[in-house]
Amino acid sequence: MKRVFTLALMLLGAALCLNAKTPVIGISAYSEDGRCQVNMTYVNSVRMAGGVPLVIPVTGDDNQIAAIIETIDGLLMTGGEDFDPLKWFGEEPVRGLGEVVPTRDEYDVKLVRAAVAKGIPVLGICRGEQLLAVAFGGSLWQDIPSQVPSSYVKHRQSPTTGTVGTHSIDITKGSILATILGKEKAVVNSFHHQAVKDVPAGMKVTAVAADGIIEGLERSGKLNGFADGGAMILGVQFHPEIITNSGNPEFLPIFRKLVEEAGK
Ligand code: MN
């Protein structure tokens, strides 16, 4: 009898192990020179956090996106080019606007809206954070140097390598970001000339640079006017994946949080 009981326990244990699926984290790609590409820093950061990275090719096809959304447990939206201001928030392009890639704009917006609608947690990095504003009714500074006179911090640290943090941010106490990092101040890297201007309803600012430029966003409630499954929405303007990939664990909790939420 005792032996049967032990065997039953072992079978139950094995079944539970098989059931505990490792979360699959979709990573948005960019397409350039006829290639579908993602920096390995994103892929490696997801791996280091315990997730399975799955690169999602650029597509505007709704059926493809719907099928991909069925496959993933979490979504990481990556950095890249500028958003088309006229199309997404009704502003004429200013002279400082950089390259716009309409196919990627459409893909990013469709993908993140589909994920949020289905209750899949989202982490947006750099352009991915700006996407959270663009896709859900907010807007961007198209070009910080020409549009925000009060901004004095160097937000484009290049040529300084991204493994080095260059400017500080203040993180809101009680936010997801402050909780997972365990602090309300950090030094981050910075490779952007755009930033979030108007924050959508249902989201709040959780980190700012010394000049007030938004460096972190997250969900504060229900999104207004968009299908919303209620899962985590987290965005950062800096590049935690470059620092994580370099072996510095300071920002690894950001990726761990995404994988943890994706496992729920
Ligand atoms: Mn910055």
Side-chain angles (χ1 to χ4, degrees):
M1 188 62 196
K2 197 177 172 190
R3 201 176 283 172
V4 172
F5 182 66
T6 308
L7 184 67
L9 266 184
M10 282 169 66
L11 284 172
L12 180 66
L16 283 175
C17 277
L18 286 172
N19 224 353
K21 178 179 168 252
T22 307
V24 174
I25 307 297
I27 305 177
S28 67
Y30 50 99
S31 68
E32 216 166 65
D33 306 326
R35 290 178 186 170
C36 164
Q37 293 179 316
V38 163
N39 289 347
M40 282 302 289
T41 49
Y42 294 106
V43 171
N44 290 339
S45 295
V46 166
R47 281 188 181 138
M48 289 159 90
V52 177
L54 184 70
V55 175
I56 306 172
V58 176
T59 176
D61 185 300
D62 294 320
N63 289 331
Q64 298 259 321
I65 287 174
I68 286 161
I69 288 296
E70 289 297 323
T71 307
I72 61 175
D73 305 302
L75 179 64
L76 168 50
M77 299 303 297
T78 60
E81 303 88 351
D82 291 0
F83 279 97
D84 179 345
L86 190 57
K87 172 156 187 184
W88 300 107
F89 45 95
E91 286 183 12
E92 292 298 326
V94 301
R95 285 187 290 268
L97 183 72
E99 186 190 0
V100 166
V101 184
T103 50
R104 190 176 177 203
D105 282 2
E106 189 191 359
Y107 154 80
D108 274 10
V109 168
K110 282 186 174 180
L111 191 56
V112 78
R113 283 181 181 164
V116 167
K118 190 146 185 280
I120 289 171
V122 176
L123 169 63
I125 292 179
C126 197
R127 171 188 163 95
E129 185 223 34
Q130 294 163 8
L131 167 69
L132 297 174
V134 167
F136 298 106
S139 68
L140 305 180
W141 293 114
Q142 296 179 42
D143 180 50
I144 297 168
S146 61
Q147 291 192 300
V148 191
S150 58
S151 171
Y152 66 91
V153 171
K154 185 174 181 177
H155 287 283
R156 217 177 217 171
Q157 72 180 49
S158 178
T160 307
T161 164
T163 57
V164 178
T166 58
H167 77 64
S168 69
I169 56 170
D170 286 307
I171 310 170
T172 310
K173 187 177 179 178
S175 63
I176 293 174
L177 197 57
T179 305
I180 60 178
L181 296 181
K183 56 189 177 185
E184 286 152 36
K185 196 120 191 156
V187 176
V188 299
N189 54 16
S190 197
F191 293 94
H192 60 112
H193 79 114
Q194 299 204 309
V196 173
K197 181 166 69 177
D198 295 309
V199 178
M203 288 187 216
K204 61 181 179 184
V205 176
T206 59
V208 288
D211 57 359
I213 293 295
I214 294 174
E215 294 274 345
L217 278 185
E218 62 192 52
R219 173 191 288 284
S220 62
K222 201 147 178 59
L223 299 181
N224 194 7
F226 297 91
D228 184 2
M232 181 187 79
I233 297 175
L234 183 64
V236 291
Q237 182 58 67
F238 55 98
H239 284 277
E241 81 286 359
I242 299 177
I243 292 170
T244 302
N245 182 67
S246 77
N248 177 345
E250 184 178 359
F251 298 111
L252 180 60
I254 293 174
F255 301 97
R256 286 230 169 98
K257 179 68 176 172
L258 176 63
V259 172
E260 180 195 321
E261 293 292 320
K264 285 180 181 171

